[in-house]
């Protein structure tokens, strides 16, 4: 079950082989359950993600390739 402040949004391109993903922890606590970082990170605010846990007030935009 998602926690308050945990956000993951995926935007697919028209061919469906690439996606832009936003993962954000908009809370005062570290939160577990995020997709693990993979692909190319475009922008990150806050500490790097550790496994599936994001630190408080962390945001990551990344490109993911479907194989």
């Amino acid at each position: 079950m998602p926690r308050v402040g945990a956000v993951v949004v995926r935007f697919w391109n028209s061919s469906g082989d690439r996606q832009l993903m936003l993962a954000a922890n908009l809370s005062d606590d570290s939160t577990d359950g995020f997709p693990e970082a993979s692909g190319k990170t475009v922008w990150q605010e806050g500490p790097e993600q550790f496994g599936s846990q994001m630190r408080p007030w962390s945001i990551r935009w990344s490109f993911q390739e479907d194989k």
Side-chain angles (χ1 to χ4, degrees):
M1 172 177 240
R3 294 187 56 171
V4 173
V7 177
V8 175
V9 181
R10 298 171 192 259
F11 303 91
W12 278 268
N13 67 351
S14 60
S15 62
D17 62 346
R18 191 171 182 195
Q19 59 183 292
L20 176 64
M21 182 173 71
L22 166 66
N25 179 11
L26 305 176
S27 73
D28 290 329
D29 300 310
S30 293
T31 302
D32 199 23
F34 285 93
E36 292 200 28
S38 65
K40 178 177 172 47
T41 297
V42 178
W43 183 72
Q44 173 137 1
E45 184 69 36
E48 285 191 35
Q49 182 174 337
F50 180 73
S52 66
Q53 185 179 75
M54 289 187 78
R55 300 287 306 248
W57 302 105
S58 296
I59 299 170
R60 184 185 73 249
W61 284 95
S62 59
F63 281 111
Q64 310 291 311
E65 301 282 338
D66 289 340
K67 305 228 181 209

